[in-house]
Amino acid sequence: MPRSTRDADVSHDLRQAIHRTGYYPEVVADGVFSAAGGEEVLSYFVHHETTFDHEEVRRHLTALLLTPTRLVIAHTDEHPGDDLLPEPYTSTTTEAVTLTSIRTVVVTRMVANPTAGVAPPAEAVLTIGWGGVGRLDLEPAACSDPGCDADHGYTGTLAGDDYTLRVSAAAEGADAVAGLLAFADALSARTRG
């Protein structure tokens, strides 16, 4: 369950939300709070997701935290045993980004049947950009002459692609969509230039 309280530490609520997922709560909480570095948590969003990989079911958990100075993203995956670790294991990856580094907070809200008036969004997508990862899409350049066979080089688009999270009321519930939007509002308020 997402929470956001203006300038109040919600670490306890975050820990409870992690435990409610039932997804390796001690392991996830250890990684999340280690990445928080002792800072208070002002807002958070916990996203527990199940995916299907061929014949296997895999679960993932992502926690987004907003501290007074940083955005922290923690993602935990589960893995079957392999050559290096014969028993099943988890991997937790964390990234902490200073709020002053965040360039964009993009929020997309999908509202069904808009002619009926304002309704809660059925889906929401949060994209956060800080210049850490970019995507370059190239294609051959051309001119307007249909008979031209000269090499015009390439043209393309460079897009920031740091972090994107999508939630849907159909899959995760309306509370999850509202929670992601509340987190996005809190993040936007803290990254005003």
Side-chain angles (χ1 to χ4, degrees), residues 80-123:
D82 56 30
D83 293 339
L84 295 174
L85 296 169
E87 296 182 23
Y89 63 96
T90 62
S91 61
T92 300
T93 304
T94 59
E95 184 168 8
V97 181
T98 59
L99 294 179
T100 56
S101 298
I102 295 175
R103 297 177 184 169
T104 59
V105 177
V106 180
V107 179
T108 304
R109 304 162 191 255
M110 283 70 88
V111 176
N113 194 14
T115 58
V118 178
E123 292 186 16

Side-chain angles (χ1 to χ4, degrees), residues 125-162:
V125 179
L126 171 63
T127 302
I128 307 165
W130 56 88
V133 177
R135 183 182 70 245
L136 181 61
D137 295 323
L138 293 175
E139 62 185 43
C143 69
S144 59
D145 179 1
C148 180
D149 61 357
D151 183 354
H152 294 285
Y154 288 88
T155 185
T157 304
L158 178 61
D161 200 16
D162 291 309

